[in-house]
Amino acid sequence: MRVTFIKTGPRRYGVLVERDRWPDVGVNPAPGYDDYLPHDLLHFVAEAEWRMDGAVFGQLASGGDAGIFLPLDPELLTQTVRDRKRRKRLSAKPKGRRSELLTGVLETAWAARRGLASLPADWEEQLAAARVVPSTGSTRSRAAGTSSTSAKG
């Protein structure tokens, strides 16, 4: 799987995911713009580092759409939207909650690092709430062969 983050305009970026076994998908505009660390890039890093196979990029690596990504092939678009609506009706809770919590903590830490905010007093508790245990050594995702990231902009 190859993931590319592309700046698409002022305060906008998109994400392209090229997959070997499933159709390529993308999202544009993607949520959470930042000049240096877009929201989805933080997801990618957090999921690889903390080995969260079932979150956004793990779902994409296993053939899913992770909720906001759409196929690039127009012939697949209608069926994908229809399937997504059906799954949403049947689903009890959203997937990727742990990844979203961790990404929020990382966004806060990044803003604090840049002097735009201060870390909340309970930031360690927020990490614990996400039940995060950092991996040791490898930052490679176990999610079905996630192999590279590139950035353009």
Side-chain angles (χ1 to χ4, degrees):
M1 180 169 102
R2 179 181 170 91
V3 178
T4 307
F5 297 85
I6 306 163
K7 187 169 183 177
T8 58
R11 302 194 48 77
R12 293 176 76 128
Y13 76 101
V15 182
L16 169 64
V17 179
E18 299 168 289
R19 306 182 289 183
D20 294 332
R21 296 175 50 196
W22 293 281
D24 296 343
V25 293
V27 60
N28 185 18
Y33 178 83
D34 183 274
D35 283 337
Y36 302 101
L37 289 173
H39 181 82
D40 287 327
L41 181 59
L42 288 172
H43 270 289
F44 188 89
V45 170
E47 292 168 24
E49 180 64 22
W50 279 277
R51 299 182 179 179
M52 292 184 267
D53 293 344
V56 175
F57 290 97
Q59 289 179 40
L60 292 172
S62 65
D65 67 23
I68 65 169
F69 289 81
L70 295 171
L72 301 181
D73 181 350
E75 293 180 15
L76 300 174
L77 188 59
T78 302
Q79 185 63 40
T80 298
V81 171
R82 189 175 303 132
D83 291 345
R84 187 178 290 167
K85 285 180 183 178
R86 184 178 321 116
R87 281 193 315 269
K88 189 173 183 178
R89 283 193 307 264
L90 299 174
S91 176
K93 60 182 178 178
K95 290 190 174 204
R97 180 71 181 138
R98 183 173 159 216
S99 176
E100 201 62 51
L101 287 170
L102 179 57
T103 299
V105 172
L106 293 176
E107 285 174 330
T108 301
W110 175 241
R113 172 73 172 96
R114 293 174 50 210
L116 302 175
S118 58
L119 282 176
D122 67 342
W123 74 273
E124 289 178 343
E125 289 82 13
Q126 290 180 25
L127 281 174
R131 295 190 181 129
V132 173
V133 179
S135 67
T136 56
S138 174
T139 59
R140 179 174 167 76
S141 174
R142 296 180 304 167
T146 301
S147 62
S148 68
T149 305
S150 60
K152 293 181 181 177

